[in-house]
Amino acid sequence: LRISRLRTGDINNEFALYHIKAGGSIPEHTHRGTELTLVLEGSFSDEEGDYHRGDFLLRDAAHVHTPTAAKSGDCVCVGVLDAPVRFKPWQYRVLNPLLRLQAH
């Protein structure tokens, strides 16, 4: 996973490009706030479905998911967060207190 944060001047929301390599995934997580995602290239799936170029998603604390890029190609998304994610697997939970919103 590669994350490129975008400077927007918005101090309340973090804007970022997410690049997930083909077959790669983001560890299972939920959100402390809301996450808006737009798929720009490729596709990914999670526990609720499959998403392709142009698909728009809204996730919040009620959603636990593990986004996984299709094996056929990389996935690039733009995401907007108003609070940091919260990892669920025990080996990543140690990071939760360190995660901060990087809005600017």
Side-chain angles (χ1 to χ4, degrees):
L1 172 68
R2 289 190 323 214
I3 301 172
S4 297
R5 290 186 175 74
L6 306 171
R7 292 184 181 271
T8 64
D10 185 336
I11 61 169
N12 298 309
N13 296 286
E14 177 181 292
F15 291 74
L17 289 173
Y18 298 93
H19 181 186
I20 308 169
K21 288 291 208 179
S25 66
I26 299 173
E28 181 184 45
H29 64 279
T30 188
H31 300 273
R32 297 176 193 183
T34 57
E35 174 191 53
L36 303 173
T37 303
L38 173 64
V39 181
L40 300 176
E41 182 179 309
S43 64
F44 77 92
S45 62
D46 68 9
E47 291 77 359
E48 295 191 26
D50 298 316
Y51 312 98
H52 304 272
R53 184 177 178 184
D55 286 345
F56 177 81
L57 298 87
L58 173 64
R59 295 285 186 257
D60 61 23
H63 297 96
V64 177
H65 67 142
T66 309
T68 303
K71 291 182 181 184
S72 59
D74 293 0
C75 181
V76 178
C77 300
V78 63
V80 180
L81 298 172
D82 62 6
V85 300
R86 181 183 311 264
F87 290 115
K88 301 299 271 180
W90 67 269
Q91 64 268 41
Y92 294 102
R93 285 186 193 166
V94 68
L95 298 174
N96 287 336
L98 305 174
L99 298 175
R100 302 280 183 256
L101 194 64
Q102 296 185 34
H104 42 62

